[in-house]
Amino acid sequence: MPKSNVLVGIDVGTTKVGTIVAEIAEGAPLNVLGLGLSPSRGVQKGVITDLEAVTESVASSLDKAERLSGYKIGSALVSIAGGHVACQQSKGSVDVPEGAEIGPAEMHRALDAARSIELPGQREVLHVIPRQYVVDGNPGVKDPRGMTGFHLELDAHVVTAHVGAVNNVLKVLDRVGLEADELVLQPLASAQAVLTEAERDLGVVLVDVGGGTTDVAVFIEDAIWHTAVLPLGGNNVTNDLAIVLGIPVEVAERLKVEVADVTPVPEYANAGPPDAGESVTVETFGGERKTVSRDLVHQVVDSRLAEIFSMVQTEIRRSGYDDMIPAGVVLTGGTARMRGLAERASKLLGEPVRLGVPSGMTGLSEAVSSPAFATAVGLPLWRARSLGSPSKLRRVPSGRRGTPLRVFDWFREFLP
Ligand SMILES: Nc1ncnc2c1ncn2[C@@H]1O[C@H](COP(=O)(O)OP(=O)(O)OP(=O)(O)O)[C@@H](O)[C@H]1O
Ligand SMILES: [Mg+2]
């Protein structure tokens, strides 16, 4: 394995495209060499709806990341999300040649067996992630290499996605002249950036509330047990404010970021929040000004966030693992910056909730130390920790392909 390697992650979000160039070395923190941030156009609820617009956003973000890092980018890990994503558990069983030790070949075969699930024509497998191996009926094996046995079984978490949505991400990459190292489901990437090993071991839920989506991933015994992407996020909060108050979306966005606060009010405080009764002046259409009460702002924001967290709770219960998450919930994504949200979410979910912010990096670390960058930072970490199975990405048939001046020869030992 090379001593260090440079990896590129592109997070194609609903509100922003974030490209990160980072150096990964064994035993060293992620060294951020470059970052490119551009407003995202042509993405709705995590899904590409306008190829041309997204291509421009990705190109602009890439360009910035290349300038800042001094690297010419040839390939990248790219995030994918959307309500079309689904997950299921799958088993892959293989016989081991008599007297042979279990090695990568058997593990690959088990992985391929777990991958071959029946799917409707419009869906394809995005990830096959090993959870545990069972060697001759003995469960709980994390790494069976070197063991002897007759039968190897793999329990895997399989993530599937809509073929069209996957193809659109590949098309965008092709248009900007990049190879896809791998497409990574957004919550799986975010989890790499903000969860601790102890949390993943104990049982924890990652909740990434972005602009257009809320992603959920359940980790138990250091493995992925459940993933989901809900089609609601911070943009819904902004739109609600715009509609209820009759103000432009940009004004509503500022009001949300600068004023809204969802800190739960203690039951003994009859007076409500500290700024109860106060009002704030905002611009309406045509430059006119009007006064709105802070209480109303808090209420509108709170009711949409309560709806989002009720959906999160339903999803956690639906997973069937709701009593296996003693480490509670780690909240990330841009909306996690909302004042009081961790505390409010904890009340709504009845679980401990902490804020997850990417940390422990070197280089341009400050620029990405925000919950909005959890996915982008998580992408190179995902590859470095080699959690997934190699993606079988199809090439996009036609179109111009740029000649990468430098192809990152990423390192990986994809099995544990
Ligand atoms: N200080 C803040 N308070 C409240 N909300 C905030 C704050 N800062 C950013 N946001 C919200 O975070 C959202 C963007 O988050 P993020 O950057 O994680 O989204 P994204 O990755 O582009 O979208 P998605 O992951 O949903 O596709 C926006 O709705 C924005 O209004
Ligand atoms: Mg996001």
Side-chain angles (χ1 to χ4, degrees):
M1 185 192 290
K3 281 213 177 70
S4 78
N5 211 318
V6 176
L7 294 167
V8 178
I10 307 176
D11 175 25
V12 185
T14 306
T15 64
K16 52 124 200 343
V17 176
T19 300
I20 183 167
V21 182
E23 186 183 24
I24 296 240
E26 227 179 333
L30 192 77
N31 185 21
V32 183
L33 303 172
L35 175 75
L37 194 61
S38 291
S40 177
R41 311 245 181 268
V43 180
Q44 278 176 22
K45 298 186 184 300
V47 178
I48 294 173
T49 51
D50 181 338
L51 273 174
E52 215 161 293
V54 183
T55 304
E56 266 177 38
S57 300
V58 171
S60 142
S61 157
L62 264 178
D63 185 53
K64 289 177 191 164
E66 285 188 335
R67 280 167 202 256
L68 198 58
S69 66
Y71 279 81
K72 175 77 190 149
I73 298 168
S75 72
L77 290 117
V78 185
S79 75
I80 182 165
H84 59 94
V85 172
C87 73
Q88 66 184 82
Q89 308 305 345
S90 174
K91 283 186 192 300
S93 299
V94 294
D95 288 327
V96 181
E98 218 180 309
E101 279 187 359
I102 296 169
E106 285 71 34
M107 291 160 83
H108 273 281
R109 280 200 289 126
L111 201 76
D112 278 340
R115 176 189 286 271
S116 50
I117 50 172
E118 264 194 46
L119 286 175
Q122 289 306 305
R123 302 195 68 78
E124 68 176 286
V125 171
L126 195 62
H127 294 290
V128 185
I129 306 155
R131 251 174 57 192
Q132 65 155 354
Y133 292 89
V134 182
V135 181
D136 290 347
N138 294 316
V141 178
K142 283 276 172 201
D143 184 359
R145 271 178 296 186
M147 290 183 166
T148 33
F150 294 95
H151 195 72
L152 177 68
E153 197 175 285
L154 169 66
D155 281 341
H157 182 78
V158 177
V159 179
T160 65
H162 193 268
V163 171
V166 171
N167 269 341
N168 285 341
V169 178
L170 293 175
K171 273 186 194 154
V172 170
L173 279 186
D174 191 62
R175 288 184 180 189
V176 296
L178 289 193
E179 299 268 353
D181 288 335
E182 191 174 345
L183 301 197
V184 185
L185 185 66
Q186 285 176 13
L188 299 181
S190 305
Q192 300 313 308
V194 299
L195 297 184
T196 66
E197 207 179 320
E199 286 168 336
R200 289 200 304 261
D201 232 4
L202 206 58
V204 70
V205 184
L206 179 283
V207 179
D208 180 327
V209 193
T213 62
T214 294
D215 309 333
V216 179
V218 179
F219 287 76
I220 302 166
E221 291 168 1
D222 205 14
I224 295 146
W225 290 44
H226 186 77
T227 39
V229 178
L230 310 172
L232 281 180
N235 288 355
N236 299 86
V237 178
T238 305
N239 290 341
D240 287 353
L241 278 175
I243 291 165
V244 172
L245 304 177
I247 53 175
V249 170
E250 312 78 65
V251 178
E253 175 71 17
R254 261 204 318 277
L255 193 62
K256 178 180 84 171
V257 170
E258 288 166 14
V259 173
D261 186 340
V262 294
T263 309
V265 181
E267 274 147 31
Y268 53 80
N270 322 325
D275 59 5
E278 286 178 18
S279 54
V280 51
T281 307
V282 290
E283 231 174 82
T284 60
F285 295 95
E288 304 215 339
R289 305 196 136 253
K290 82 172 183 189
T291 306
V292 297
S293 92
R294 282 177 182 259
D295 285 352
L296 182 59
V297 173
H298 300 330
Q299 267 171 32
V300 172
V301 170
D302 188 78
S303 64
R304 179 61 89 169
L305 288 170
E307 183 200 2
I308 291 177
F309 280 95
S310 133
M311 287 169 73
V312 167
Q313 187 166 46
T314 305
E315 193 56 44
I316 296 171
R317 289 196 178 137
R318 205 173 66 84
S319 77
Y321 307 123
D322 46 326
D323 55 354
M324 294 169 75
I325 46 161
V329 169
V330 175
L331 185 63
T332 194
T335 301
R337 299 179 65 202
M338 167 70 62
R339 264 178 288 289
L341 189 58
E343 216 183 314
R344 182 72 176 112
S346 175
K347 275 214 159 21
L348 289 164
L349 297 172
E351 302 282 351
V353 176
R354 80 163 174 89
L355 194 62
V357 181
S359 63
M361 299 149 302
T362 55
L364 305 170
S365 59
E366 233 170 82
V368 291
S369 296
S370 156
F373 291 116
T375 309
V377 170
L379 286 167
L381 291 172
W382 167 268
R383 176 42 66 83
R385 292 178 190 160
S386 310
L387 283 167
S389 57
S391 293
K392 295 195 170 159
L393 295 175
R394 283 151 292 103
R395 291 221 182 274
V396 179
S398 62
R400 178 184 58 84
R401 179 173 290 282
T403 327
L405 295 180
R406 172 173 188 151
V407 176
F408 296 119
D409 52 331
W410 43 266
F411 66 86
R412 72 175 309 169
E413 274 183 49
F414 88 84
L415 292 164

CSV table of all heavy atoms in Angstrom, one decimal, residues 11 13-16 46 186 209-213 234-235 253 256-257 333-335 337-338 372, ligand 1:
chain,number,residue,atom,x,y,z
A,11,ASP,N,-19.5,16.1,-3.5
A,11,ASP,CA,-20.8,15.9,-2.9
A,11,ASP,C,-21.8,16.8,-3.7
A,11,ASP,O,-21.7,18.0,-3.7
A,11,ASP,CB,-20.8,16.4,-1.4
A,11,ASP,CG,-22.2,16.4,-0.8
A,11,ASP,OD1,-23.1,15.6,-1.3
A,11,ASP,OD2,-22.5,17.1,0.1
A,13,GLY,N,-25.0,18.0,-3.7
A,13,GLY,CA,-26.2,18.2,-2.8
A,13,GLY,C,-27.3,19.0,-3.5
A,13,GLY,O,-27.1,19.4,-4.7
A,14,THR,N,-28.4,19.2,-2.8
A,14,THR,CA,-29.5,19.9,-3.4
A,14,THR,C,-29.2,21.4,-3.4
A,14,THR,O,-29.7,22.2,-4.3
A,14,THR,CB,-30.8,19.7,-2.5
A,14,THR,OG1,-31.0,18.3,-2.5
A,14,THR,CG2,-32.0,20.3,-3.2
A,15,THR,N,-28.4,21.9,-2.4
A,15,THR,CA,-28.1,23.3,-2.4
A,15,THR,C,-26.7,23.7,-2.8
A,15,THR,O,-26.5,24.8,-3.2
A,15,THR,CB,-28.3,23.9,-1.0
A,15,THR,OG1,-27.4,23.3,-0.1
A,15,THR,CG2,-29.7,23.6,-0.4
A,16,LYS,N,-25.8,22.8,-2.7
A,16,LYS,CA,-24.4,23.1,-3.0
A,16,LYS,C,-23.7,21.8,-3.6
A,16,LYS,O,-24.0,20.7,-3.2
A,16,LYS,CB,-23.6,23.6,-1.8
A,16,LYS,CG,-23.7,22.7,-0.6
A,16,LYS,CD,-22.4,22.2,-0.1
A,16,LYS,CE,-22.4,21.0,0.8
A,16,LYS,NZ,-23.5,20.5,1.4
A,46,GLY,N,-32.3,15.9,-3.7
A,46,GLY,CA,-31.2,15.0,-3.9
A,46,GLY,C,-31.1,14.3,-5.2
A,46,GLY,O,-30.1,13.6,-5.5
A,186,GLN,N,-25.1,9.2,0.2
A,186,GLN,CA,-24.7,10.3,1.1
A,186,GLN,C,-24.6,10.0,2.6
A,186,GLN,O,-23.6,10.3,3.2
A,186,GLN,CB,-25.6,11.5,0.8
A,186,GLN,CG,-25.3,12.2,-0.5
A,186,GLN,CD,-26.2,13.3,-0.9
A,186,GLN,OE1,-27.0,13.7,-0.1
A,186,GLN,NE2,-26.2,13.7,-2.1
A,209,VAL,N,-29.5,16.2,7.9
A,209,VAL,CA,-30.6,17.1,7.4
A,209,VAL,C,-30.0,18.2,6.5
A,209,VAL,O,-29.3,19.1,7.0
A,209,VAL,CB,-31.4,17.7,8.6
A,209,VAL,CG1,-32.7,18.3,8.0
A,209,VAL,CG2,-31.7,16.7,9.7
A,210,GLY,N,-30.1,18.0,5.2
A,210,GLY,CA,-29.5,18.9,4.3
A,210,GLY,C,-30.6,19.9,3.8
A,210,GLY,O,-31.4,20.3,4.6
A,211,GLY,N,-30.5,20.3,2.6
A,211,GLY,CA,-31.4,21.3,2.0
A,211,GLY,C,-32.7,20.6,1.5
A,211,GLY,O,-33.8,21.0,1.8
A,212,GLY,N,-32.4,19.5,0.7
A,212,GLY,CA,-33.5,18.8,0.1
A,212,GLY,C,-33.9,17.5,0.6
A,212,GLY,O,-34.9,16.9,0.3
A,213,THR,N,-32.9,16.9,1.4
A,213,THR,CA,-33.2,15.5,1.9
A,213,THR,C,-32.7,15.4,3.3
A,213,THR,O,-32.0,16.2,3.8
A,213,THR,CB,-32.3,14.5,1.1
A,213,THR,OG1,-30.9,14.8,1.3
A,213,THR,CG2,-32.7,14.5,-0.4
A,234,GLY,N,-34.0,21.3,4.9
A,234,GLY,CA,-34.1,22.7,5.3
A,234,GLY,C,-34.8,23.6,4.3
A,234,GLY,O,-35.3,24.6,4.7
A,235,ASN,N,-34.7,23.2,3.0
A,235,ASN,CA,-35.4,24.1,2.0
A,235,ASN,C,-36.9,24.1,2.3
A,235,ASN,O,-37.6,25.1,2.0
A,235,ASN,CB,-35.2,23.5,0.6
A,235,ASN,CG,-33.8,23.7,0.1
A,235,ASN,OD1,-33.0,24.4,0.8
A,235,ASN,ND2,-33.4,23.2,-1.0
A,253,GLU,N,-34.9,32.6,3.8
A,253,GLU,CA,-33.7,31.9,4.1
A,253,GLU,C,-32.8,32.6,5.1
A,253,GLU,O,-32.4,32.1,6.1
A,253,GLU,CB,-32.9,31.7,2.8
A,253,GLU,CG,-31.5,31.0,2.9
A,253,GLU,CD,-31.6,29.5,3.3
A,253,GLU,OE1,-32.6,28.9,3.1
A,253,GLU,OE2,-30.6,29.0,3.8
A,256,LYS,N,-34.5,32.5,8.5
A,256,LYS,CA,-34.3,31.2,9.1
A,256,LYS,C,-32.9,31.1,9.8
A,256,LYS,O,-32.8,30.7,10.9
A,256,LYS,CB,-34.5,30.1,8.0
A,256,LYS,CG,-34.3,28.7,8.5
A,256,LYS,CD,-34.4,27.7,7.5
A,256,LYS,CE,-33.1,27.5,6.7
A,256,LYS,NZ,-33.2,26.4,5.7
A,257,VAL,N,-31.9,31.5,9.0
A,257,VAL,CA,-30.5,31.3,9.5
A,257,VAL,C,-30.2,32.3,10.6
A,257,VAL,O,-29.6,31.9,11.6
A,257,VAL,CB,-29.6,31.5,8.3
A,257,VAL,CG1,-28.1,31.6,8.8
A,257,VAL,CG2,-29.7,30.4,7.3
A,333,GLY,N,-25.3,17.7,8.6
A,333,GLY,CA,-26.0,18.4,7.5
A,333,GLY,C,-26.2,19.9,7.8
A,333,GLY,O,-26.2,20.3,9.0
A,334,GLY,N,-26.3,20.7,6.8
A,334,GLY,CA,-26.4,22.2,7.0
A,334,GLY,C,-27.5,22.6,8.0
A,334,GLY,O,-27.3,23.5,8.8
A,335,THR,N,-28.6,21.9,8.0
A,335,THR,CA,-29.7,22.3,8.8
A,335,THR,C,-29.4,22.0,10.3
A,335,THR,O,-30.0,22.6,11.2
A,335,THR,CB,-31.0,21.5,8.4
A,335,THR,OG1,-31.3,21.9,7.0
A,335,THR,CG2,-32.2,21.9,9.2
A,337,ARG,N,-27.2,23.2,11.8
A,337,ARG,CA,-26.7,24.4,12.4
A,337,ARG,C,-27.8,25.3,13.0
A,337,ARG,O,-27.6,26.3,13.7
A,337,ARG,CB,-26.0,25.2,11.4
A,337,ARG,CG,-24.8,24.5,10.8
A,337,ARG,CD,-24.1,25.3,9.8
A,337,ARG,NE,-23.5,26.5,10.3
A,337,ARG,CZ,-23.2,27.6,9.5
A,337,ARG,NH1,-23.4,27.6,8.2
A,337,ARG,NH2,-22.7,28.7,10.1
A,338,MET,N,-29.1,24.9,12.8
A,338,MET,CA,-30.2,25.6,13.3
A,338,MET,C,-30.1,25.6,14.9
A,338,MET,O,-29.9,24.6,15.5
A,338,MET,CB,-31.5,24.8,12.9
A,338,MET,CG,-32.7,25.2,13.7
A,338,MET,SD,-33.3,26.9,13.2
A,338,MET,CE,-33.6,26.7,11.5
A,372,ALA,N,-22.4,21.0,7.2
A,372,ALA,CA,-22.8,20.9,5.8
A,372,ALA,C,-21.7,20.1,5.0
A,372,ALA,O,-22.0,19.7,3.8
A,372,ALA,CB,-22.9,22.3,5.3
B,1,LIG,N1,-27.1,28.5,10.3
B,1,LIG,C1,-28.1,27.7,9.8
B,1,LIG,N2,-29.3,27.6,10.4
B,1,LIG,C2,-30.3,26.9,9.8
B,1,LIG,N3,-30.2,26.3,8.6
B,1,LIG,C3,-29.0,26.4,8.0
B,1,LIG,C4,-28.0,27.1,8.5
B,1,LIG,N4,-26.9,27.1,7.6
B,1,LIG,C5,-27.4,26.3,6.6
B,1,LIG,N5,-28.7,25.9,6.8
B,1,LIG,C6,-29.5,25.2,5.9
B,1,LIG,O1,-28.9,24.0,5.5
B,1,LIG,C7,-29.4,23.5,4.2
B,1,LIG,C8,-28.2,23.1,3.4
B,1,LIG,O2,-27.6,22.0,4.0
B,1,LIG,P1,-26.6,21.1,3.2
B,1,LIG,O3,-25.5,22.0,2.7
B,1,LIG,O4,-26.2,20.0,4.1
B,1,LIG,O5,-27.5,20.6,2.0
B,1,LIG,P2,-27.1,19.9,0.7
B,1,LIG,O6,-26.0,18.9,1.0
B,1,LIG,O7,-26.8,20.8,-0.4
B,1,LIG,O8,-28.5,19.2,0.3
B,1,LIG,P3,-29.0,17.7,0.4
B,1,LIG,O9,-28.0,16.9,1.2
B,1,LIG,O10,-30.3,17.7,1.1
B,1,LIG,O11,-29.1,17.2,-1.0
B,1,LIG,C9,-30.2,24.7,3.6
B,1,LIG,O12,-31.6,24.5,3.7
B,1,LIG,C10,-29.8,25.9,4.6
B,1,LIG,O13,-30.8,26.8,4.7
